[in-house]
Amino acid sequence: MEPDFHRIKRLPPYVFAEVNQAKAKLRQDGADVIDFGMGNPDSATPQHIVDKLVEAAQDPKTHRYSTSRGIPGLRRALAAYYARRFGVELDPEREAIVTLGSKEGLANLAQAITSPGDVILAPNPCYPIHSFGFIMAGGAIRSLPAGGDPSLSFRENFMAALERAVAHSIPKPLAVVLNFPQNPTAQCVDLDFYGEVVEFCRRHGIYILSDIAYAEIYFGEPPPSILQIPSAKEIAVEFYSLSKTYSMPGWRIGFAAGNPTLIAALARIKSYVDYGAFTPIQVAATAALNGPQDCVDQVRALYRERRDVLVEGLNKAGWAVPTPEATMFVWAPLPTAFHNMGSLAFSKLLLEEAQVAVAPGVGFGEYGEGYVRLGLVENTHRTRQALRGVRSFLSRADVG
Ligand SMILES: Cc1ncc(COP(=O)(O)O)c(C=O)c1O
């Protein structure tokens, strides 16, 4: 019998599978592939955080089921972070919940609030859970396309897309997903932008789900939180994650903070589906947030150095790419000679010809076409090696 599962039919096969297969084949044949394709931080978690995990795990009391909202000390540590970093007050009881990474939080919040056919506005291109979380929950996605009129600013284009979405969606949108600094485009916004979106969404009764996974991975001005807008808590929740800030992607620990109704809805769903993260992980996460922060400066410095080497090298090789102000990604338009080729075909060609793997932009949504994403996950030595390959490939293309 051919399985015909309603939700599975709505999830396309993993978009990057084709490039991954080609990568695996090359590696099997002995090639040294330099892989900028993933967004998986490669640094070790800082030692004092690992030590805290080990210490907590020695106590058998921590081996029991934890609580699905998260231990109170960790929720207080999140509130202290928001106060320190953003000047935002959070009630750790009603306005904060611990999640198994922000991805889990987003997916379960989508389950909690979406009725079949509800319209959700999501950026395009986007990190896949920003759209598929709601598709899995039975919602319909309307895209907020990146780009737009080149004579307008990002803010103007975005607000125009929001206006159009509200005018032309039936039913009226339930929620909008925001993600700044953004994966994959590295787009950043300021507080005025958030102020305008909050005002618009309050007027139209639309919830805002903001993801600030890259809030601490910045190279210029520190990115703001939407909760800095005084009325945001009436309609907004924000997801934060320890995965990138403290190089803890495998630990699966993050948060949602903000609107108490949305937090309560997420807490209700989570009380049915999980017992919370392993307590020692939560104790170690508390140590991460409350402890010394020089490890975060080091992570920023590491990504900055890699960014500078990669961006300068690509530009020198004749591939014009912008310098990201935040995130661990370079969002690169296809080189001029290949700009009509399509991002998937270009990614496969680059892999074959330069042994360099990148993520095709179309994998993040149709408006990602024409771009590839390079993750700053290879060290500077290997990045330079990749640049030699790219340079030689591009010069061969020029001659051809
Ligand atoms: C924008 C964005 N949000 C969330 C996540 C996942 O974070 P977490 O590990 O907390 O689930 C990622 C990971 O790449 C991401 O890029």
Side-chain angles (χ1 to χ4, degrees), residues 290-308:
N290 289 343
Q293 298 298 304
D294 44 340
C295 55
V296 185
D297 295 333
Q298 283 160 17
V299 156
R300 270 195 288 271
L302 177 87
Y303 288 129
R304 177 195 285 272
E305 189 187 15
R306 290 176 179 180
R307 173 198 74 159
D308 290 347

Side-chain angles (χ1 to χ4, degrees), residues 122-197:
N124 188 328
C126 71
Y127 179 60
I129 201 70
H130 292 162
S131 52
F132 286 104
F134 296 92
I135 290 171
M136 282 191 279
I141 291 293
R142 179 174 169 119
S143 292
L144 297 172
D149 181 342
S151 70
L152 300 179
S153 67
F154 172 79
R155 183 185 57 77
E156 288 166 326
N157 274 315
F158 188 90
M159 291 311 299
L162 256 190
E163 297 265 4
R164 275 197 307 277
V166 169
H168 298 289
S169 299
I170 297 179
K172 169 182 78 83
L174 170 75
V176 57
V177 179
L178 304 181
N179 169 216
F180 303 108
Q182 209 227 3
N183 178 11
T185 62
Q187 178 72 47
C188 296
V189 295
D190 60 18
L191 212 45
D192 288 346
F193 172 90
Y194 281 144
E196 207 167 323
V197 177

Side-chain angles (χ1 to χ4, degrees), residues 82-395:
Y82 262 82
R84 189 167 73 229
R85 169 73 162 80
F86 302 115
V88 168
E89 250 186 65
L90 287 179
D91 173 354
E93 281 307 308
R94 296 171 56 248
E95 296 177 336
I97 183 168
V98 178
T99 62
L100 310 176
S102 43
K103 192 174 178 180
E104 177 272 323
L106 272 156
N108 273 327
L109 183 62
Q111 291 294 335
I113 67 173
T114 312
S115 304
D118 273 352
V119 174
I120 311 293
L121 308 179
N124 188 328
C126 71
Y127 179 60
I129 201 70
H130 292 162
S131 52
F132 286 104
F134 296 92
I135 290 171
M136 282 191 279
I141 291 293
R142 179 174 169 119
S143 292
L144 297 172
D149 181 342
S151 70
L152 300 179
S153 67
F154 172 79
R155 183 185 57 77
E156 288 166 326
N157 274 315
F158 188 90
M159 291 311 299
L162 256 190
E163 297 265 4
R164 275 197 307 277
V166 169
H168 298 289
S169 299
I170 297 179
K172 169 182 78 83
L174 170 75
V176 57
V177 179
L178 304 181
N179 169 216
F180 303 108
Q182 209 227 3
N183 178 11
T185 62
Q187 178 72 47
C188 296
V189 295
D190 60 18
L191 212 45
D192 288 346
F193 172 90
Y194 281 144
E196 207 167 323
V197 177
V198 167
E199 203 272 319
F200 180 91
C201 289
R202 280 178 69 219
R203 195 155 22 97
H204 292 281
I206 299 171
Y207 287 119
I208 300 176
L209 318 177
S210 164
D211 175 350
I212 55 164
Y214 298 98
E216 299 303 333
I217 311 298
Y218 59 84
F219 315 114
E221 285 295 304
S225 154
I226 199 163
L227 300 181
Q228 286 172 258
I229 303 299
S231 52
K233 272 193 214 164
E234 290 171 24
I235 50 165
V237 283
E238 190 157 72
F239 290 88
Y240 179 59
S241 167
L242 298 198
S243 297
K244 320 288 162 153
T245 310
Y246 300 100
S247 301
M248 295 171 70
W251 297 52
R252 313 309 302 128
I253 197 92
F255 306 91
N259 178 266
T261 307
L262 292 174
I263 297 292
L266 178 54
R268 175 76 68 89
I269 289 276
K270 283 176 67 61
S271 72
Y272 279 83
V273 300
D274 71 58
Y275 285 110
F278 184 41
T279 300
I281 291 179
Q282 298 193 55
V283 172
T286 310
L289 285 170
N290 289 343
Q293 298 298 304
D294 44 340
C295 55
V296 185
D297 295 333
Q298 283 160 17
V299 156
R300 270 195 288 271
L302 177 87
Y303 288 129
R304 177 195 285 272
E305 189 187 15
R306 290 176 179 180
R307 173 198 74 159
D308 290 347
V309 169
L310 183 60
V311 168
E312 194 189 321
L314 290 176
N315 280 300
K316 271 197 183 144
W319 183 354
V321 305
T323 306
E325 281 302 303
T327 75
M328 47 189 289
F329 305 112
V330 172
W331 183 239
L334 301 189
T336 319
F338 301 95
H339 80 275
N340 284 328
M341 185 175 204
S343 58
L344 182 57
F346 175 75
S347 301
K348 288 202 274 193
L349 186 69
L350 189 66
L351 187 59
E352 282 293 326
E353 295 291 322
Q355 279 79 58
V356 169
V358 298
V362 71
F364 301 96
E366 70 178 284
Y367 294 93
E369 187 49 287
Y371 290 80
V372 292
R373 191 195 73 177
L374 294 95
L376 302 171
V377 289
E378 292 279 13
N379 65 34
T380 50
H381 174 73
R382 286 181 59 78
T383 299
R384 287 198 175 92
Q385 185 183 328
L387 286 166
R388 285 192 288 277
V390 170
R391 226 175 2 249
S392 146
F393 160 62
L394 289 178
S395 61

